[in-house]
């Protein structure tokens, strides 16, 4: 049995979406996004007190990139993953891990807009800088999806994979702080992948999750 420890609308959503795509049985344990993640019992699963934490075969894993690689290699090396001999293996690895570049900026903005509870703690400079960095990430995704001859449907030439799941989930969070309006191919790609049943199954129930708004503009102070 696989057990995923999850907080809605956090990086663990990436693993939840992937597990649904893999169509393998798993148990979901939902945690509140609060100080309970610092309790010794949870720290034994994820020593930094972060989600996701994955229990599998008596072992524990954390860090979404590592979890994605392991699950794909074990359960779907040529569909959701790309094997060592695949022409797309290098690109698959790059984009699976690029998701964390996007997520770190989205996480910083989540802290600024959502987690900090007093306005004196917030920084409009940090908000604007991190939103600009997200747009740089969108530039990279837009360039990947656009070619001189044609536009890719997915991040890899060989089709949909865990790379789209990883980056797609990061963009799901990032869109709360940086709009996709100026990125037509990224907008079409995002719409395409979020129509998938596995993505919809990974969404929080109504009223759950970190965000109570669809978009958070930079705070002016």
């Amino acid at each position: 049995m696989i057990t995923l420890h999850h907080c809605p609308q956090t990086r663990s959503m990436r693993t939840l979406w992937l597990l649904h795509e893999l169509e393998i049985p798993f148990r979901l344990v939902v945690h509140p996004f609060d100080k309970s993640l610092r309790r010794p019992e949870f720290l034994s699963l994820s020593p930094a007190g972060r989600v996701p934490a994955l229990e599998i075969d008596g072992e524990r894993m954390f860090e979404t990139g590592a979890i994605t690689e392991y699950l794909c290699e074990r359960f779907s090396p040529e569909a959701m993953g790309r094997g060592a001999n695949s022409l797309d293996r290098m690109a698959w690895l790059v984009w699976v891990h690029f998701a964390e570049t996007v997520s770190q900026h989205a996480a910083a903005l989540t802290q600024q807009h959502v987690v900090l509870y007093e306005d004196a703690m917030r920084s409009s400079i940090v908000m604007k800088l991190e939103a600009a960095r997200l747009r740089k990430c969108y530039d990279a995704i837009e360039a990947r999806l656009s070619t001189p001859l044609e536009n890719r449907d997915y991040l890899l030439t060989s089709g949909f994979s865990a790379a789209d799941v990883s980056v797609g989930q990061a963009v799901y969070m990032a869109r709360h702080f940086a709009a996709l309006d100026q990125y037509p191919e990224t907008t079409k790609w995002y719409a395409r992948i979020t129509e998938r049943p596995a993505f919809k199954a990974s969404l929080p129930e109504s009223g759950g999750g970190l965000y109570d708004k669809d978009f958070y503009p930079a705070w002016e102070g």
Side-chain angles (χ1 to χ4, degrees), residues 112-181:
Q112 286 287 321
H113 285 277
V114 179
V115 178
L116 296 178
Y117 52 87
E118 293 182 8
D119 284 347
M121 299 177 175
R122 309 180 202 280
S123 167
S124 61
I125 294 174
V126 170
M127 291 178 181
K128 291 173 183 177
L129 283 173
E130 292 294 343
R133 288 165 178 158
L134 282 178
R135 289 189 287 272
K136 289 292 186 183
C137 292
Y138 292 169
D139 287 340
I141 299 168
E142 186 76 7
R144 177 64 181 177
L145 293 168
S146 305
T147 67
L149 298 178
E150 61 181 350
N151 297 319
R152 287 186 174 90
D153 286 339
Y154 302 105
L155 290 171
L156 303 185
T157 304
S158 53
F160 181 79
S161 74
D164 298 288
V165 170
S166 296
V167 179
Q169 187 277 331
V171 170
Y172 165 80
M173 294 179 64
R175 288 171 68 252
H176 289 87
F177 311 104
L180 288 176
D181 299 354

Side-chain angles (χ1 to χ4, degrees), residues 13 28 48 59 72 87 89 96 104 136 152 158 202 212:
M13 180 183 169
L28 184 65
E59 299 291 341
C72 288
L87 294 176
R89 172 66 174 177
V96 162
Q104 68 179 342
K136 289 292 186 183
R152 287 186 174 90
S158 53
S202 72
D212 58 8

